[in-house]
């Protein structure tokens, strides 16, 4: 029947949703106190993002309030969130990092 999505045709060799693990978006949230340079450093250190892209992404979070900084399996996403939150706390910054199922 129409509208139930039961007859979706997959592209050749594409895996159906049930055949791959769910992905999780890792997001950084803006705040008024964390220094911009610290956020750039976090993006480079924990997400392997180049300085040029890290500056752009940090400014996107600064302007929009939130941005996706990566998409990972549950376990990797959880590790990233823990690493960022621990590192921010150790450096006494209120930076928040969260994850959400894609
Ligand atoms: N808004 C912060 C400032 O003006 C910078 C900032 C950017 C903080 C991104 C957090 O996730 C963040 N210093």
């Amino acid at each position: 029947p129409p509208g139930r999505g039961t007859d979706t045709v997959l592209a050749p060799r594409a895996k159906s949703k049930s055949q791959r693990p769910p992905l999780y978006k890792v997001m950084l949230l803006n705040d008024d106190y964390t220094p911009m340079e610290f956020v750039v450093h976090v993006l480079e250190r924990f997400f392997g993002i180049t300085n040029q892209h890290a500056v752009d992404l940090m400014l996107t979070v600064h302007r929009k309030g939130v941005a996706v900084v990566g998409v990972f399996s549950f376990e990797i996403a959880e590790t990233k969130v823990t690493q960022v939150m621990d590192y921010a706390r150790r450096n006494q910054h209120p930076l928040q990092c969260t994850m959400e199922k894609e």
Side-chain angles (χ1 to χ4, degrees):
R4 271 214 309 144
T6 55
D7 56 358
T8 300
V9 177
L10 295 174
R13 304 191 67 228
K15 288 191 175 174
S16 71
K17 254 189 181 170
S18 57
Q19 287 175 55
R20 48 188 165 73
L23 292 175
Y24 292 79
K25 299 180 285 192
V26 171
M27 289 159 316
L28 226 47
L29 275 57
N30 188 39
D31 65 74
D32 291 340
Y33 305 104
T34 304
M36 289 187 172
E37 315 76 59
F38 183 81
V39 178
V40 170
H41 173 68
V42 161
L43 291 170
E44 293 172 346
R45 179 176 179 135
F46 297 111
F47 297 91
I49 297 173
T50 63
N51 183 265
Q52 178 195 325
H53 289 129
V55 170
D56 280 356
L57 200 44
M58 178 281 295
L59 287 174
T60 299
V61 178
H62 178 70
R63 292 193 201 104
K64 300 183 70 176
V66 61
V68 175
V69 299
V71 178
F72 307 97
S73 67
F74 181 86
E75 190 168 323
I76 302 290
E78 198 178 46
T79 300
K80 300 286 183 196
V81 170
T82 300
Q83 286 175 329
V84 172
M85 294 298 283
D86 286 355
Y87 191 64
R89 173 166 261 265
R90 279 208 304 282
N91 287 276
Q92 296 175 284
H93 295 308
L95 181 64
Q96 296 291 310
C97 184
T98 61
M99 61 192 275
E100 182 181 292
K101 197 171 176 183
E102 201 178 50

